[in-house]
mmCIF file of all heavy atoms in Angstrom:
data_model
loop_
_atom_site.group_PDB
_atom_site.id
_atom_site.type_symbol
_atom_site.label_atom_id
_atom_site.label_comp_id
_atom_site.label_asym_id
_atom_site.label_seq_id
_atom_site.Cartn_x
_atom_site.Cartn_y
_atom_site.Cartn_z
ATOM 1 N N ASP A 346 10.030 4.007 -3.819
ATOM 2 C CA ASP A 346 9.193 3.892 -4.981
ATOM 3 C C ASP A 346 9.512 4.982 -6.032
ATOM 4 O O ASP A 346 10.244 5.945 -5.674
ATOM 5 C CB ASP A 346 7.721 4.200 -4.559
ATOM 6 C CG ASP A 346 7.118 2.871 -4.012
ATOM 7 O OD1 ASP A 346 7.655 1.795 -4.195
ATOM 8 O OD2 ASP A 346 5.942 2.988 -3.440
ATOM 9 N N GLY A 347 9.149 4.790 -7.250
ATOM 10 C CA GLY A 347 9.596 5.647 -8.358
ATOM 11 C C GLY A 347 9.173 7.094 -8.076
ATOM 12 O O GLY A 347 9.987 8.062 -8.334
ATOM 13 N N ILE A 348 7.986 7.374 -7.497
ATOM 14 C CA ILE A 348 7.649 8.776 -7.271
ATOM 15 C C ILE A 348 8.446 9.428 -6.156
ATOM 16 O O ILE A 348 8.681 10.597 -6.169
ATOM 17 C CB ILE A 348 6.094 8.945 -6.929
ATOM 18 C CG1 ILE A 348 5.695 8.131 -5.698
ATOM 19 C CG2 ILE A 348 5.281 8.558 -8.120
ATOM 20 C CD1 ILE A 348 4.386 8.427 -5.154
ATOM 21 N N VAL A 349 8.924 8.547 -5.171
ATOM 22 C CA VAL A 349 9.799 9.121 -4.135
ATOM 23 C C VAL A 349 11.121 9.527 -4.721
ATOM 24 O O VAL A 349 11.677 10.545 -4.347
ATOM 25 C CB VAL A 349 9.963 7.965 -3.047
ATOM 26 C CG1 VAL A 349 11.002 8.424 -2.016
ATOM 27 C CG2 VAL A 349 8.618 7.782 -2.354
ATOM 28 N N THR A 350 11.634 8.742 -5.674
ATOM 29 C CA THR A 350 12.943 9.153 -6.289
ATOM 30 C C THR A 350 12.676 10.532 -7.021
ATOM 31 O O THR A 350 13.572 11.399 -6.949
ATOM 32 C CB THR A 350 13.317 8.131 -7.428
ATOM 33 O OG1 THR A 350 13.503 6.850 -6.726
ATOM 34 C CG2 THR A 350 14.512 8.470 -8.145
ATOM 35 N N ARG A 351 11.525 10.716 -7.682
ATOM 36 C CA ARG A 351 11.344 12.001 -8.291
ATOM 37 C C ARG A 351 11.143 13.104 -7.230
ATOM 38 O O ARG A 351 11.574 14.302 -7.460
ATOM 39 C CB ARG A 351 10.100 11.908 -9.198
ATOM 40 C CG ARG A 351 10.396 11.052 -10.340
ATOM 41 C CD ARG A 351 9.334 11.096 -11.466
ATOM 42 N NE ARG A 351 9.881 10.719 -12.714
ATOM 43 C CZ ARG A 351 9.186 10.053 -13.633
ATOM 44 N NH1 ARG A 351 8.011 9.796 -13.529
ATOM 45 N NH2 ARG A 351 9.865 9.701 -14.807
ATOM 46 N N ILE A 352 10.486 12.838 -6.163
ATOM 47 C CA ILE A 352 10.237 13.835 -5.114
ATOM 48 C C ILE A 352 11.561 14.209 -4.528
ATOM 49 O O ILE A 352 11.834 15.473 -4.278
ATOM 50 C CB ILE A 352 9.313 13.258 -4.083
ATOM 51 C CG1 ILE A 352 7.869 13.238 -4.593
ATOM 52 C CG2 ILE A 352 9.353 14.030 -2.717
ATOM 53 C CD1 ILE A 352 6.800 12.461 -3.764
ATOM 54 N N ARG A 353 12.441 13.262 -4.212
ATOM 55 C CA ARG A 353 13.792 13.570 -3.769
ATOM 56 C C ARG A 353 14.516 14.449 -4.768
ATOM 57 O O ARG A 353 15.201 15.466 -4.399
ATOM 58 C CB ARG A 353 14.576 12.348 -3.416
ATOM 59 C CG ARG A 353 14.106 11.475 -2.178
ATOM 60 C CD ARG A 353 15.075 10.452 -1.994
ATOM 61 N NE ARG A 353 14.700 9.462 -1.055
ATOM 62 C CZ ARG A 353 14.840 9.524 0.294
ATOM 63 N NH1 ARG A 353 15.255 10.691 0.838
ATOM 64 N NH2 ARG A 353 14.494 8.542 1.162
ATOM 65 N N ALA A 354 14.456 14.115 -6.005
ATOM 66 C CA ALA A 354 15.232 14.875 -7.089
ATOM 67 C C ALA A 354 14.712 16.241 -7.186
ATOM 68 O O ALA A 354 15.450 17.147 -7.572
ATOM 69 C CB ALA A 354 15.052 14.114 -8.440
ATOM 70 N N ALA A 355 13.429 16.573 -6.828
ATOM 71 C CA ALA A 355 12.964 17.880 -6.840
ATOM 72 C C ALA A 355 13.371 18.668 -5.746
ATOM 73 O O ALA A 355 13.030 19.880 -5.645
ATOM 74 C CB ALA A 355 11.423 17.841 -6.895
ATOM 75 N N GLY A 356 14.076 18.095 -4.715
ATOM 76 C CA GLY A 356 14.653 18.873 -3.653
ATOM 77 C C GLY A 356 13.909 18.798 -2.312
ATOM 78 O O GLY A 356 14.275 19.386 -1.378
ATOM 79 N N PHE A 357 12.808 18.045 -2.346
ATOM 80 C CA PHE A 357 12.002 17.917 -1.107
ATOM 81 C C PHE A 357 12.790 17.213 0.021
ATOM 82 O O PHE A 357 13.652 16.346 -0.264
ATOM 83 C CB PHE A 357 10.786 17.122 -1.300
ATOM 84 C CG PHE A 357 9.714 17.902 -2.044
ATOM 85 C CD1 PHE A 357 9.378 17.664 -3.319
ATOM 86 C CD2 PHE A 357 8.997 18.880 -1.298
ATOM 87 C CE1 PHE A 357 8.308 18.382 -3.978
ATOM 88 C CE2 PHE A 357 7.931 19.546 -1.931
ATOM 89 C CZ PHE A 357 7.605 19.310 -3.278
ATOM 90 N N ILE A 358 12.488 17.518 1.244
ATOM 91 C CA ILE A 358 13.009 16.819 2.427
ATOM 92 C C ILE A 358 11.897 16.061 3.042
ATOM 93 O O ILE A 358 10.853 16.650 3.399
ATOM 94 C CB ILE A 358 13.606 17.788 3.448
ATOM 95 C CG1 ILE A 358 14.843 18.424 2.883
ATOM 96 C CG2 ILE A 358 14.019 17.003 4.784
ATOM 97 C CD1 ILE A 358 15.435 19.566 3.770
ATOM 98 N N ILE A 359 11.991 14.778 3.203
ATOM 99 C CA ILE A 359 10.889 13.840 3.719
ATOM 100 C C ILE A 359 10.836 13.910 5.222
ATOM 101 O O ILE A 359 11.834 13.520 5.918
ATOM 102 C CB ILE A 359 11.077 12.458 3.134
ATOM 103 C CG1 ILE A 359 10.851 12.457 1.603
ATOM 104 C CG2 ILE A 359 9.981 11.514 3.802
ATOM 105 C CD1 ILE A 359 11.246 11.176 0.954
ATOM 106 N N LEU A 360 9.724 14.338 5.786
ATOM 107 C CA LEU A 360 9.623 14.439 7.253
ATOM 108 C C LEU A 360 9.164 13.089 7.872
ATOM 109 O O LEU A 360 9.554 12.789 8.989
ATOM 110 C CB LEU A 360 8.534 15.515 7.618
ATOM 111 C CG LEU A 360 8.828 16.894 7.330
ATOM 112 C CD1 LEU A 360 7.583 17.780 7.509
ATOM 113 C CD2 LEU A 360 9.889 17.438 8.272
ATOM 114 N N GLY A 361 8.384 12.315 7.108
ATOM 115 C CA GLY A 361 7.950 10.995 7.639
ATOM 116 C C GLY A 361 6.825 10.448 6.808
ATOM 117 O O GLY A 361 6.510 10.860 5.765
ATOM 118 N N LYS A 362 6.205 9.376 7.385
ATOM 119 C CA LYS A 362 5.116 8.687 6.707
ATOM 120 C C LYS A 362 3.754 8.951 7.415
ATOM 121 O O LYS A 362 3.694 8.792 8.619
ATOM 122 C CB LYS A 362 5.437 7.199 6.755
ATOM 123 C CG LYS A 362 6.782 6.784 6.244
ATOM 124 C CD LYS A 362 6.942 7.102 4.693
ATOM 125 C CE LYS A 362 6.077 6.117 3.894
ATOM 126 N NZ LYS A 362 6.460 4.692 4.074
ATOM 127 N N THR A 363 2.783 9.261 6.595
ATOM 128 C CA THR A 363 1.454 9.686 7.135
ATOM 129 C C THR A 363 0.540 8.484 7.225
ATOM 130 O O THR A 363 0.569 7.490 6.508
ATOM 131 C CB THR A 363 0.867 10.769 6.326
ATOM 132 O OG1 THR A 363 0.751 10.331 4.939
ATOM 133 C CG2 THR A 363 1.583 12.093 6.361
ATOM 134 N N ALA A 364 -0.453 8.654 8.149
ATOM 135 C CA ALA A 364 -1.390 7.517 8.479
ATOM 136 C C ALA A 364 -2.318 7.211 7.304
ATOM 137 O O ALA A 364 -2.774 8.056 6.582
ATOM 138 C CB ALA A 364 -2.240 7.990 9.664
ATOM 139 N N THR A 365 -2.604 5.930 7.209
ATOM 140 C CA THR A 365 -3.489 5.386 6.165
ATOM 141 C C THR A 365 -4.455 4.351 6.870
ATOM 142 O O THR A 365 -4.087 3.742 7.844
ATOM 143 C CB THR A 365 -2.787 4.732 5.035
ATOM 144 O OG1 THR A 365 -3.649 4.126 4.109
ATOM 145 C CG2 THR A 365 -1.819 3.648 5.542
ATOM 146 N N SER A 366 -5.538 4.131 6.275
ATOM 147 C CA SER A 366 -6.374 3.012 6.637
ATOM 148 C C SER A 366 -5.656 1.713 6.310
ATOM 149 O O SER A 366 -4.737 1.737 5.477
ATOM 150 C CB SER A 366 -7.696 3.075 5.980
ATOM 151 O OG SER A 366 -7.667 3.013 4.561
ATOM 152 N N GLU A 367 -6.010 0.628 6.975
ATOM 153 C CA GLU A 367 -5.319 -0.645 6.790
ATOM 154 C C GLU A 367 -5.305 -1.017 5.218
ATOM 155 O O GLU A 367 -6.418 -1.048 4.638
ATOM 156 C CB GLU A 367 -5.973 -1.754 7.561
ATOM 157 C CG GLU A 367 -5.264 -3.101 7.583
ATOM 158 C CD GLU A 367 -5.976 -4.076 8.388
ATOM 159 O OE1 GLU A 367 -7.130 -4.402 8.082
ATOM 160 O OE2 GLU A 367 -5.328 -4.589 9.392
ATOM 161 N N VAL A 368 -4.127 -1.187 4.713
ATOM 162 C CA VAL A 368 -3.891 -1.456 3.281
ATOM 163 C C VAL A 368 -4.694 -0.495 2.312
ATOM 164 O O VAL A 368 -4.880 -0.762 1.220
ATOM 165 C CB VAL A 368 -4.244 -2.960 2.795
ATOM 166 C CG1 VAL A 368 -3.357 -3.844 3.674
ATOM 167 C CG2 VAL A 368 -5.708 -3.308 2.998
ATOM 168 N N GLY A 369 -5.030 0.699 2.895
ATOM 169 C CA GLY A 369 -5.627 1.694 2.099
ATOM 170 C C GLY A 369 -7.091 1.436 1.656
ATOM 171 O O GLY A 369 -7.535 2.058 0.723
ATOM 172 N N SER A 370 -7.735 0.508 2.252
ATOM 173 C CA SER A 370 -9.038 0.030 1.771
ATOM 174 C C SER A 370 -10.202 0.804 2.197
ATOM 175 O O SER A 370 -11.350 0.591 1.618
ATOM 176 C CB SER A 370 -9.233 -1.474 2.202
ATOM 177 O OG SER A 370 -9.339 -1.567 3.563
ATOM 178 N N LEU A 371 -10.145 1.663 3.214
ATOM 179 C CA LEU A 371 -11.343 2.286 3.770
ATOM 180 C C LEU A 371 -11.224 3.840 3.797
ATOM 181 O O LEU A 371 -10.094 4.374 3.819
ATOM 182 C CB LEU A 371 -11.413 1.803 5.230
ATOM 183 C CG LEU A 371 -11.576 0.334 5.434
ATOM 184 C CD1 LEU A 371 -11.621 -0.121 6.926
ATOM 185 C CD2 LEU A 371 -12.875 -0.240 4.773
ATOM 186 N N PRO A 372 -12.371 4.512 3.767
ATOM 187 C CA PRO A 372 -12.324 5.953 3.585
ATOM 188 C C PRO A 372 -12.379 6.654 4.960
ATOM 189 O O PRO A 372 -12.744 7.821 5.034
ATOM 190 C CB PRO A 372 -13.693 6.182 2.918
ATOM 191 C CG PRO A 372 -14.586 5.162 3.354
ATOM 192 C CD PRO A 372 -13.746 3.924 3.557
ATOM 193 N N TYR A 373 -11.903 6.045 6.100
ATOM 194 C CA TYR A 373 -11.585 6.618 7.271
ATOM 195 C C TYR A 373 -10.258 5.973 7.818
ATOM 196 O O TYR A 373 -9.978 4.869 7.406
ATOM 197 C CB TYR A 373 -12.737 6.338 8.333
ATOM 198 C CG TYR A 373 -13.282 5.027 8.292
ATOM 199 C CD1 TYR A 373 -12.777 3.998 9.189
ATOM 200 C CD2 TYR A 373 -14.413 4.681 7.494
ATOM 201 C CE1 TYR A 373 -13.322 2.752 9.108
ATOM 202 C CE2 TYR A 373 -14.932 3.346 7.529
ATOM 203 C CZ TYR A 373 -14.375 2.452 8.321
ATOM 204 O OH TYR A 373 -14.851 1.140 8.337
ATOM 205 N N THR A 374 -9.543 6.641 8.632
ATOM 206 C CA THR A 374 -8.133 6.218 8.923
ATOM 207 C C THR A 374 -8.064 5.803 10.413
ATOM 208 O O THR A 374 -7.612 6.590 11.272
ATOM 209 C CB THR A 374 -7.213 7.375 8.595
ATOM 210 O OG1 THR A 374 -7.415 7.799 7.241
ATOM 211 C CG2 THR A 374 -5.786 6.990 8.738
ATOM 212 N N GLU A 375 -8.521 4.613 10.676
ATOM 213 C CA GLU A 375 -8.545 4.069 12.064
ATOM 214 C C GLU A 375 -8.128 2.620 12.123
ATOM 215 O O GLU A 375 -8.830 1.760 12.622
ATOM 216 C CB GLU A 375 -10.038 4.215 12.546
ATOM 217 C CG GLU A 375 -10.560 5.618 12.498
ATOM 218 C CD GLU A 375 -12.081 5.752 12.869
ATOM 219 O OE1 GLU A 375 -12.572 4.846 13.655
ATOM 220 O OE2 GLU A 375 -12.763 6.573 12.263
ATOM 221 N N PRO A 376 -6.937 2.307 11.609
ATOM 222 C CA PRO A 376 -6.500 0.951 11.537
ATOM 223 C C PRO A 376 -6.246 0.415 12.932
ATOM 224 O O PRO A 376 -5.767 1.107 13.840
ATOM 225 C CB PRO A 376 -5.260 0.932 10.679
ATOM 226 C CG PRO A 376 -4.680 2.357 10.891
ATOM 227 C CD PRO A 376 -5.921 3.259 10.966
ATOM 228 N N GLU A 377 -6.469 -0.856 13.155
ATOM 229 C CA GLU A 377 -6.187 -1.428 14.455
ATOM 230 C C GLU A 377 -4.693 -1.436 14.780
ATOM 231 O O GLU A 377 -3.920 -1.681 13.949
ATOM 232 C CB GLU A 377 -6.743 -2.912 14.435
ATOM 233 C CG GLU A 377 -8.282 -3.052 14.335
ATOM 234 C CD GLU A 377 -8.773 -4.440 14.477
ATOM 235 O OE1 GLU A 377 -7.963 -5.357 14.786
ATOM 236 O OE2 GLU A 377 -9.985 -4.721 14.160
ATOM 237 N N GLY A 378 -4.387 -1.137 16.006
ATOM 238 C CA GLY A 378 -3.006 -1.083 16.486
ATOM 239 C C GLY A 378 -2.419 0.291 16.351
ATOM 240 O O GLY A 378 -1.247 0.546 16.767
ATOM 241 N N PHE A 379 -3.097 1.250 15.702
ATOM 242 C CA PHE A 379 -2.632 2.628 15.536
ATOM 243 C C PHE A 379 -3.660 3.582 16.176
ATOM 244 O O PHE A 379 -4.900 3.283 16.171
ATOM 245 C CB PHE A 379 -2.472 2.966 14.113
ATOM 246 C CG PHE A 379 -1.490 2.118 13.366
ATOM 247 C CD1 PHE A 379 -1.833 0.895 12.872
ATOM 248 C CD2 PHE A 379 -0.156 2.569 13.113
ATOM 249 C CE1 PHE A 379 -0.928 0.074 12.176
ATOM 250 C CE2 PHE A 379 0.778 1.809 12.495
ATOM 251 C CZ PHE A 379 0.368 0.468 11.899
ATOM 252 N N ALA A 380 -3.198 4.755 16.614
ATOM 253 C CA ALA A 380 -4.149 5.794 16.953
ATOM 254 C C ALA A 380 -4.881 6.230 15.762
ATOM 255 O O ALA A 380 -4.297 6.367 14.661
ATOM 256 C CB ALA A 380 -3.362 6.951 17.624
ATOM 257 N N PRO A 381 -6.205 6.597 15.808
ATOM 258 C CA PRO A 381 -6.859 7.054 14.647
ATOM 259 C C PRO A 381 -6.355 8.478 14.273
ATOM 260 O O PRO A 381 -5.986 9.244 15.126
ATOM 261 C CB PRO A 381 -8.347 7.155 15.204
ATOM 262 C CG PRO A 381 -8.204 7.384 16.668
ATOM 263 C CD PRO A 381 -7.042 6.587 17.077
ATOM 264 N N ALA A 382 -6.400 8.734 12.996
ATOM 265 C CA ALA A 382 -6.089 9.998 12.494
ATOM 266 C C ALA A 382 -7.322 10.897 12.663
ATOM 267 O O ALA A 382 -8.454 10.363 12.409
ATOM 268 C CB ALA A 382 -5.770 9.998 11.047
ATOM 269 N N ARG A 383 -7.152 12.165 13.064
ATOM 270 C CA ARG A 383 -8.296 13.032 13.423
ATOM 271 C C ARG A 383 -8.282 14.279 12.562
ATOM 272 O O ARG A 383 -7.227 14.693 12.106
ATOM 273 C CB ARG A 383 -8.243 13.361 14.892
ATOM 274 C CG ARG A 383 -8.416 12.182 15.881
ATOM 275 C CD ARG A 383 -8.281 12.609 17.320
ATOM 276 N NE ARG A 383 -8.501 11.394 18.136
ATOM 277 C CZ ARG A 383 -9.683 10.915 18.565
ATOM 278 N NH1 ARG A 383 -10.776 11.590 18.235
ATOM 279 N NH2 ARG A 383 -9.818 9.853 19.315
ATOM 280 N N ASN A 384 -9.469 14.830 12.422
ATOM 281 C CA ASN A 384 -9.562 16.012 11.622
ATOM 282 C C ASN A 384 -9.215 17.275 12.440
ATOM 283 O O ASN A 384 -9.766 17.537 13.428
ATOM 284 C CB ASN A 384 -11.023 16.099 11.101
ATOM 285 C CG ASN A 384 -11.180 17.117 10.014
ATOM 286 O OD1 ASN A 384 -10.716 18.245 10.048
ATOM 287 N ND2 ASN A 384 -11.962 16.781 9.024
ATOM 288 N N PRO A 385 -8.217 18.073 12.012
ATOM 289 C CA PRO A 385 -7.756 19.168 12.839
ATOM 290 C C PRO A 385 -8.877 20.312 13.001
ATOM 291 O O PRO A 385 -8.828 21.129 13.843
ATOM 292 C CB PRO A 385 -6.549 19.743 12.051
ATOM 293 C CG PRO A 385 -6.630 19.198 10.770
ATOM 294 C CD PRO A 385 -7.360 17.855 10.839
ATOM 295 N N TRP A 386 -9.941 20.210 12.103
ATOM 296 C CA TRP A 386 -10.974 21.268 12.201
ATOM 297 C C TRP A 386 -11.928 20.897 13.376
ATOM 298 O O TRP A 386 -12.596 21.819 13.946
ATOM 299 C CB TRP A 386 -11.737 21.328 10.891
ATOM 300 C CG TRP A 386 -10.955 21.965 9.839
ATOM 301 C CD1 TRP A 386 -10.213 21.305 8.869
ATOM 302 C CD2 TRP A 386 -10.695 23.395 9.584
ATOM 303 N NE1 TRP A 386 -9.522 22.222 8.071
ATOM 304 C CE2 TRP A 386 -9.869 23.476 8.446
ATOM 305 C CE3 TRP A 386 -11.167 24.524 10.211
ATOM 306 C CZ2 TRP A 386 -9.443 24.730 8.004
ATOM 307 C CZ3 TRP A 386 -10.791 25.723 9.765
ATOM 308 C CH2 TRP A 386 -9.939 25.861 8.679
ATOM 309 N N ASN A 387 -12.038 19.572 13.633
ATOM 310 C CA ASN A 387 -12.867 19.071 14.763
ATOM 311 C C ASN A 387 -12.337 17.662 15.059
ATOM 312 O O ASN A 387 -12.677 16.751 14.319
ATOM 313 C CB ASN A 387 -14.396 19.149 14.415
ATOM 314 C CG ASN A 387 -15.282 18.754 15.643
ATOM 315 O OD1 ASN A 387 -14.725 18.044 16.480
ATOM 316 N ND2 ASN A 387 -16.464 19.286 15.682
ATOM 317 N N THR A 388 -11.646 17.559 16.172
ATOM 318 C CA THR A 388 -10.871 16.226 16.254
ATOM 319 C C THR A 388 -11.788 15.099 16.708
ATOM 320 O O THR A 388 -11.338 13.969 16.892
ATOM 321 C CB THR A 388 -9.744 16.488 17.339
ATOM 322 O OG1 THR A 388 -10.317 16.980 18.595
ATOM 323 C CG2 THR A 388 -8.694 17.415 16.827
ATOM 324 N N ASP A 389 -13.075 15.402 16.893
ATOM 325 C CA ASP A 389 -14.007 14.285 17.120
ATOM 326 C C ASP A 389 -14.351 13.557 15.812
ATOM 327 O O ASP A 389 -14.877 12.471 15.817
ATOM 328 C CB ASP A 389 -15.307 14.809 17.701
ATOM 329 C CG ASP A 389 -15.186 15.240 19.145
ATOM 330 O OD1 ASP A 389 -14.234 14.784 19.789
ATOM 331 O OD2 ASP A 389 -15.933 16.075 19.547
ATOM 332 N N TYR A 390 -13.878 14.108 14.651
ATOM 333 C CA TYR A 390 -14.253 13.582 13.326
ATOM 334 C C TYR A 390 -13.080 13.070 12.546
ATOM 335 O O TYR A 390 -11.909 13.485 12.833
ATOM 336 C CB TYR A 390 -14.976 14.767 12.556
ATOM 337 C CG TYR A 390 -16.353 15.044 13.067
ATOM 338 C CD1 TYR A 390 -16.533 15.851 14.214
ATOM 339 C CD2 TYR A 390 -17.486 14.454 12.483
ATOM 340 C CE1 TYR A 390 -17.811 16.126 14.681
ATOM 341 C CE2 TYR A 390 -18.728 14.704 13.058
ATOM 342 C CZ TYR A 390 -18.887 15.571 14.097
ATOM 343 O OH TYR A 390 -20.134 15.872 14.631
ATOM 344 N N THR A 391 -13.345 12.276 11.500
ATOM 345 C CA THR A 391 -12.325 11.692 10.745
ATOM 346 C C THR A 391 -11.832 12.722 9.688
ATOM 347 O O THR A 391 -12.605 13.599 9.268
ATOM 348 C CB THR A 391 -12.779 10.454 10.037
ATOM 349 O OG1 THR A 391 -11.716 9.858 9.240
ATOM 350 C CG2 THR A 391 -13.918 10.786 9.045
#
Side-chain angles (χ1 to χ4, degrees):
D346 277 348
I348 58 164
V349 173
T350 300
R351 289 192 160 146
I352 285 169
R353 289 189 190 277
F357 282 108
I358 296 173
I359 296 170
L360 291 170
K362 305 294 291 299
T363 55
T365 176
S366 57
E367 187 180 61
V368 301
S370 65
L371 301 173
Y373 44 88
T374 306
E375 304 169 31
E377 293 184 11
F379 298 82
R383 296 179 179 273
N384 195 315
W386 291 97
N387 186 331
T388 55
D389 291 335
Y390 290 81
T391 184

